[in-house]
Amino acid sequence: ENDYGFYVSDLLSEYAAWLGYEVQLLDDFLFRHRKTLPENAVIGIDVKATGSFGLRWWYNAKLPGILDKIKADVVVNLNGMCSTSARQPQILAVSDVSFLENNAKPKAVWKKLVLKNIIAYSNAASSVFSYSQHAAGVVEKITGRQKSSVHIVPYSADKEYKVWQWHEKTLIKAEFAENKEFFVCTLDDKNDELWLLVLKAFSKFKKWQQSSMQLFLLPKHGIVPLKVVDKMGTYKYRDDVQMLDNLTEKEKSSLIGCAYALIHLPGNDADLLPVAEALQCAVPIITFKTVSLDEYGTDTGLYISAIDHEVLGDAIIAVFKNEEERNQIVENAKAKAEEFKRDDIAKSLWEMIENAVKTKQPA
């Protein structure tokens, strides 16, 4: 559920390993280093609690003990929560502001705790960061932190995502699509109604243009909803639709990189990683506009006005029939991708961590 937290974890682990740090999960670390601790290490700690009481106990009783045991210099909290009793400097990532700015009533327990305690968490952290200028502004407003005191660590794509050359695209299309053009759509595994909406939109496109164009549906977390699987048995254009799960990162990057366009309907304000991936591949985006998404994808795609199959179908038709506009979007995407270079973003995150360590007060 916390896509931004997983992204930051991967980003931090990659950069730390490149710097020569040992990267380990806590359980592996304690098992391997019972007697000696490496001088430079990044330790991943899983939050082993789910309920409200368990989470509060874990952060304010269990976590401080773990940090003292491993002699941590700083802790980076990835899901909007942090300890109010730890002695070490803490950095706080706010992974989604959708429920914060709307003062909604989220179902997830951790989101309820963030909504209730975000000011206390912010006060306990030496640094706070989020994924966009809009998100940073929301956090500043809610927590009362000084203007521009919330850092921005935007999404960036893995290095597997690139602008593919013509001969590379030819091989990939031969492998996955019988040498046919295709759209790619990333979808939330749990939202089966959204899957059905996309299928209806694709039907509108196929009725308008009786071509061999295909549609690849990629579940965000590797599971296709059963309701959609059942529906595909009677879907008129089922021979032109592929539901691909359990893809490797290289396979996913090659499909997005060779797509005619990426269709992405964000589940919340922070659902931006597919957009960053498409930008790095210079692939047009068909999406529903959110405030943060507009920061990432200005002039790099077509924005639909409502999550409706008729509106989405019209957008798919539009990007297909206007080749000149699509080519301009591709060039815009190449330019925009320069703002989201993974190495630069990782470096800025690491500098934030180093600054937190430098300001650590002696015990």
Side-chain angles (χ1 to χ4, degrees), residues 26 29 37 39 41-43 45 63-76 86-89 357 360:
L26 177 67
F29 179 87
L37 302 175
E39 182 178 351
V42 172
I43 310 301
I45 305 174
L63 180 60
I66 294 173
L67 298 176
D68 289 340
K69 184 174 183 178
I70 65 175
K71 300 179 182 179
D73 292 310
V74 64
V75 56
V76 183
R87 296 185 300 169
Q88 292 80 1
V357 175
K360 179 181 178 182

Side-chain angles (χ1 to χ4, degrees), residues 69-353:
K69 184 174 183 178
I70 65 175
K71 300 179 182 179
D73 292 310
V74 64
V75 56
V76 183
N77 299 280
L78 299 180
N79 64 354
M81 301 175 64
C82 68
S83 174
T84 55
S85 57
R87 296 185 300 169
Q88 292 80 1
Q90 296 184 85
I91 297 174
L92 178 66
V94 180
S95 56
D96 181 24
V97 299
S98 300
F99 63 97
L100 292 176
E101 61 182 333
N102 298 326
N103 201 27
K105 294 182 179 179
K107 294 180 180 179
V109 173
W110 71 271
K111 286 186 177 181
K112 291 179 182 179
L113 287 172
V114 172
L115 186 62
K116 182 179 180 180
N117 301 295
I118 184 63
I119 295 176
Y121 297 150
S122 173
N123 291 339
S126 60
S127 297
V128 178
F129 68 91
S130 199
Y131 51 86
S132 70
Q133 293 180 18
H134 168 68
V138 171
V139 175
E140 288 173 4
K141 182 178 179 180
I142 292 175
T143 63
R145 294 183 75 96
Q146 291 184 348
K147 185 174 177 60
S148 301
S149 69
V150 181
H151 303 275
I152 301 169
V153 178
Y155 280 101
S156 60
D158 185 275
K159 293 178 181 179
E160 293 283 1
Y161 295 84
K162 63 178 183 178
V163 178
W164 294 80
Q165 301 303 312
W166 178 84
H167 67 279
E168 295 175 309
K169 291 183 178 182
T170 300
L171 292 174
I172 292 166
K173 289 175 184 177
E175 179 180 357
F176 287 95
E178 298 178 342
N179 297 309
K180 299 172 184 176
E181 295 280 1
F182 56 87
F183 296 104
V184 167
C185 181
T186 57
L187 287 163
D188 184 348
D189 310 37
K190 300 176 182 178
N191 192 339
D192 49 19
E193 293 303 319
L194 205 57
W195 288 70
L196 298 178
L197 181 150
V198 172
L199 290 176
K200 290 179 181 178
F202 188 62
S203 293
K204 181 171 185 176
F205 167 80
K206 295 292 281 189
K207 290 175 183 176
W208 170 81
Q209 220 282 335
Q210 294 292 330
S211 69
S212 60
M213 180 71 77
Q214 296 193 349
L215 172 66
F216 292 171
L217 301 177
L218 310 184
K220 283 178 63 178
H221 303 111
I223 301 173
V224 178
L226 290 177
K227 185 175 181 179
V228 179
V229 175
D230 293 339
K231 177 68 176 178
M232 284 302 298
T234 58
Y235 182 60
K236 182 176 180 179
Y237 302 104
R238 58 186 178 275
D239 292 339
D240 292 319
V241 177
Q242 295 189 50
M243 297 182 290
L244 302 175
D245 53 11
N246 298 316
L247 294 174
T248 65
E249 201 66 31
K250 186 171 185 178
E251 288 172 334
K252 181 186 170 189
S253 66
S254 65
L255 290 177
I256 291 179
C258 297
Y260 200 83
L262 172 75
I263 302 168
H264 176 58
L265 304 180
N268 53 54
D269 187 68
D271 189 2
L272 298 165
L273 182 56
V275 175
E277 292 168 346
L279 284 177
Q280 194 158 299
C281 295
V283 170
I285 306 158
I286 301 173
T287 187
F288 180 79
K289 181 176 288 190
T290 66
V291 180
S292 290
L293 195 150
D294 194 33
E295 293 180 27
Y296 282 66
T298 303
D299 299 326
T300 62
L302 275 69
Y303 295 96
I304 60 176
S305 58
I307 299 181
D308 174 86
H309 74 272
E310 293 285 350
V311 177
L312 179 58
D314 289 339
I316 297 173
I317 292 170
V319 78
F320 182 82
K321 71 179 182 181
N322 194 332
E323 186 69 21
E324 184 177 343
E325 182 179 355
R326 181 182 178 276
N327 290 338
Q328 183 58 58
I329 288 173
V330 168
E331 294 306 312
N332 294 344
K334 290 178 181 178
K336 190 69 176 177
E338 293 297 307
E339 299 178 22
F340 302 98
K341 289 186 175 180
R342 195 174 184 88
D343 289 344
D344 293 344
I345 294 169
K347 182 179 179 181
S348 69
L349 174 60
W350 193 260
E351 288 174 350
M352 196 187 315
I353 294 171

